[in-house]
Amino acid sequence: MEKSFVKKILIFLGILFLAIMLVLPLVSVLFHAFENGIKVFIKSISNEEALKALQLTLIAAGAAVIANTVFGIFASFLITKFSFRFKKIFSLLIDVPLAVSPVVAGLMLIFAFGKRGWLGPVLDYLGTKIIFDIPGILIATIFVTFPLVFREIAPLMQTQGTEEEEAAAMMGANWFCIFRKITFPNIKWALFYGSALCASRALGEFGAVSVISGHLREKTNTMTLYVEILFNEFELASAFAVSSILVMISLMILILRTIAEYKAKKWEDK
Amino acid sequence: MYVELKNVNKKFGNFTAAENISFSVPKGSLAGILGPSGSGKTTILRMIAGLETPDSGDIIIDTQKVNELSPNRRGIGFVFQNYALFRHMTVFENIAFGLEIQKKDKTFIKNRVHELIKLVGMEGFENRRPHQLSGGQKQRVAFARALAPNPHLLLLDEPFAAIDAKVRKELREWLKETVKKVGITSIFVTHDQEEAAEAADKIIIVNRGKVEQIGTPAEIYKNPATPFAAKFIGDAVEIENYGNFHGFKIENGFEKALIRPEFVRISKIEDEIYPYASERGTVDGVSFKGRSMEIKVNVRGKSFLAYHSLEEAPIFAGEKVSVLIYKMYLYNNEKVKLIENASLKNEQEFSI
Ligand SMILES: Nc1ncnc2c1ncn2[C@@H]1O[C@H](COP(=O)(O)OP(=O)(O)OP(=O)(O)O)[C@@H](O)[C@H]1O
Ligand SMILES: [Mg+2]
């Protein structure tokens, strides 16, 4: 009796908290986005600037997912299937991007690749520019999401060991075949989960990108930066409309991620 | 000789895992590498497979030196200690894997896999995944999977370790039969002397990365070449001051002795045959060992084991008995020596 009363209170508080902290803001974004009718909504998101921002955001997220997936697979292989010196330091370094604030990460990149940065002269000589330009946005996004895929698959590969791979090798398989038929199927759901995590994080990235972008309209604006600009200019309806797009993409990824997580769990239990 | 190791050495860091390992295995025979945990058995097997590279020495398979050959080109079947079945594949797919790598055609693969499934007695389990199998069933699948691509050499790392005693015995006999039937040269690793003795044509005893003795189970049992082999084989009990026992004198250079249960005969006092060669002892404990009783007897403060047939008058714990020690192994750091009960010899001559 007593217990079920406590339980009810806790459930009530939990739901209240979720409602105030999550559902209310979420709904309000969608509500405000459509407040002035669907026409205003469509106009807000279909102008040149909004489309450019959406495009850049998707490109940056895509680049982050691809780069970090490739890196994550290689690094996990290195860490779990081989032994070498400085292994500890190596895996510690991979975590740096998650440990520092994105704004600081942005500054670090400026010091490294900026005009007066260490690599500045080299980039100048090559005639390319990274900071305040699209490559900078991509690098910043990749940087802040760097360890996400690695962190998902490395522990899994560690617990799975190397024996299945060795067994495949004994049956005559070459390394590519071993990866394709043994390693990859064993990590694919964790890999997918990590990629989705990376994508969500990349879509929402603000700090590092804000520092790097130089706020050049229609050139280096991502969705989040664009929302900020609209907000500062009191274009609230447009700000909400653009935000709602981000929200919808994120929700979609969240659903995919949940599916992947479920599958990965089931996989690990085997 | 089909498989030959010549002075093979392997270090991990500055730890010597294999030192001057040399042995050979004839074609079509089943060899057992026997040794305690950490003695380097797996390391030796993995070097033959190509999963570890020896620091020096040669590994020769079928007259070809294979040191530089990568594992996937050695044509060896390997059964891992914990099977390492492909967890995302069914039993069928696991066994078919090696054949698919060899790009055999579909009907061939199907026939061969079914043939192997039948051989290992796993009909009806084709579509199960590894996590739906028992330990013994996994073992069989691992074995079938290793055999499928027709390897010319089969290596098995403690294939029965994770399986309970009764099934282990069955599987062991089954393995021996199957290996003989297929006629494939095989090397298996075990730390169980009984397993090695029952299954192997030839036993290689290793200890601390070195080969202690090579021989048939009977040879090793009868003539242990090193103190380690003498202690490791048979349920020998170590005793000091062996000169206190009737019929045995301390020999120079040998401080300790080993007594195996088979070297001891226990009888009721009234049934004693050779009084001058025998001792009196007290029974500490009796346990039933299937075909005979194992008796723990205490003589002059030393405990050791003996067997007692179920056909003879039963002996109980606490009883005073006559204990006849026929022989024992004397040993020091380098040598082993078998000595017999001198009084018994005299008595036997006397009574004739
Ligand atoms: N990769 C490695 N790195 C460092 N040391 C190792 C490595 N592999 C094995 N060793 C060491 O080499 C020794 C022999 O190991 P090995 O696995 O060959 O023993 P084993 O006879 O198979 O033992 P067990 O019966 O317990 O399986 C052990 O002391 C082990 O710690
Ligand atoms: Mg081992």
Side-chain angles (χ1 to χ4, degrees), chain A residues 83, chain B residues 11-13 15-18 35-46 52 81 157-158 189-191 206 209:
Chain A
S83 62
Chain B
K11 281 187 171 193
F12 293 112
F15 176 82
T16 307
S37 184
S39 55
K41 307 182 293 292
T42 298
T43 308
I44 295 171
L45 216 58
R46 287 173 63 86
E52 303 284 357
Q81 193 158 351
D157 192 357
E158 307 226 15
V189 156
T190 178
H191 59 252
V206 293

Side-chain angles (χ1 to χ4, degrees), chain A residues 163-164 166 169 173 181 267, chain B residues 46 72 76 82 86-88:
Chain A
E163 280 202 341
E164 278 179 60
E166 285 177 345
K181 294 200 164 157
W267 191 256
Chain B
R46 287 173 63 86
N72 61 349
I76 295 176
N82 42 15
F86 305 134
R87 72 191 80 196
H88 62 289

Side-chain angles (χ1 to χ4, degrees), chain B residues 8-276:
Chain B
V8 170
N9 288 283
K10 174 75 185 175
K11 281 187 171 193
F12 293 112
N14 51 19
F15 176 82
T16 307
E19 190 177 341
N20 258 326
I21 301 281
S22 301
F23 65 82
S24 57
V25 180
K27 197 174 172 82
S29 74
L30 180 57
I33 301 179
L34 173 65
S37 184
S39 55
K41 307 182 293 292
T42 298
T43 308
I44 295 171
L45 216 58
R46 287 173 63 86
M47 287 193 289
I48 300 173
L51 298 170
E52 303 284 357
T53 321
D55 299 334
S56 64
D58 290 345
I59 295 174
I60 295 154
I61 300 174
D62 198 8
T63 68
Q64 190 196 356
K65 184 177 157 184
V66 296
N67 288 38
E68 308 300 325
L69 206 60
S70 63
N72 61 349
R73 303 181 54 201
R74 289 195 187 190
I76 295 176
F78 198 112
V79 179
F80 288 81
Q81 193 158 351
N82 42 15
Y83 318 129
L85 295 179
F86 305 134
R87 72 191 80 196
H88 62 289
M89 296 185 194
T90 61
V91 167
F92 186 97
E93 289 163 343
N94 261 282
I95 301 174
F97 186 85
L99 298 166
E100 270 157 20
I101 297 294
Q102 292 180 348
K103 301 215 172 5
K104 295 279 198 272
D105 72 73
K106 277 224 157 60
T107 41
F108 176 88
I109 293 181
K110 213 169 148 193
N111 292 337
R112 175 92 178 125
V113 172
H114 281 302
E115 179 192 326
L116 280 158
I117 284 181
K118 215 169 143 198
L119 179 79
V120 299
M122 288 288 289
E123 293 110 320
F125 291 87
E126 288 86 348
N127 294 320
R128 297 256 191 123
R129 287 178 195 276
H131 70 276
Q132 298 168 316
L133 299 176
S134 74
Q137 292 167 337
K138 280 186 205 166
Q139 199 308 292
R140 287 161 201 247
V141 175
F143 185 70
R145 184 180 69 172
L147 281 181
N150 252 324
H152 49 97
L153 173 63
L154 185 65
L155 306 176
L156 308 107
D157 192 357
E158 307 226 15
F160 313 113
I163 298 167
D164 70 72
K166 187 172 174 323
V167 182
R168 191 181 331 179
K169 211 167 156 75
E170 275 170 28
L171 276 176
R172 187 193 299 162
E173 270 151 30
W174 169 84
L175 172 75
K176 186 167 183 169
E177 263 172 41
T178 312
V179 163
K180 293 290 167 192
K181 196 154 66 187
V182 183
I184 181 175
T185 313
S186 309
I187 304 175
F188 73 99
V189 156
T190 178
H191 59 252
D192 179 352
Q193 48 158 318
E194 196 186 327
E195 192 161 293
E198 268 182 41
D201 298 319
K202 174 151 128 179
I203 295 177
I204 298 141
I205 299 185
V206 293
N207 180 35
R208 297 174 182 217
K210 283 191 220 163
V211 173
E212 292 271 340
Q213 189 174 4
I214 302 174
T216 64
E219 272 165 19
I220 285 187
Y221 183 81
K222 270 202 169 144
N223 303 309
T226 64
F228 175 81
K231 272 193 260 187
F232 195 65
I233 302 292
D235 300 309
V237 173
E238 181 186 306
I239 54 168
E240 287 165 26
N241 296 329
Y242 55 89
N244 289 350
F245 293 99
H246 281 169
F248 297 95
K249 276 207 282 293
I250 296 276
E251 289 201 18
N252 262 347
F254 292 97
E255 300 236 305
K256 292 181 188 168
L258 296 165
I259 301 182
R260 282 185 183 164
E262 304 81 27
F263 295 174
V264 181
R265 186 190 144 79
I266 288 189
S267 52
K268 297 233 174 227
I269 297 199
E270 57 268 28
D271 299 336
E272 187 169 65
I273 310 175
Y274 302 115
Y276 294 107

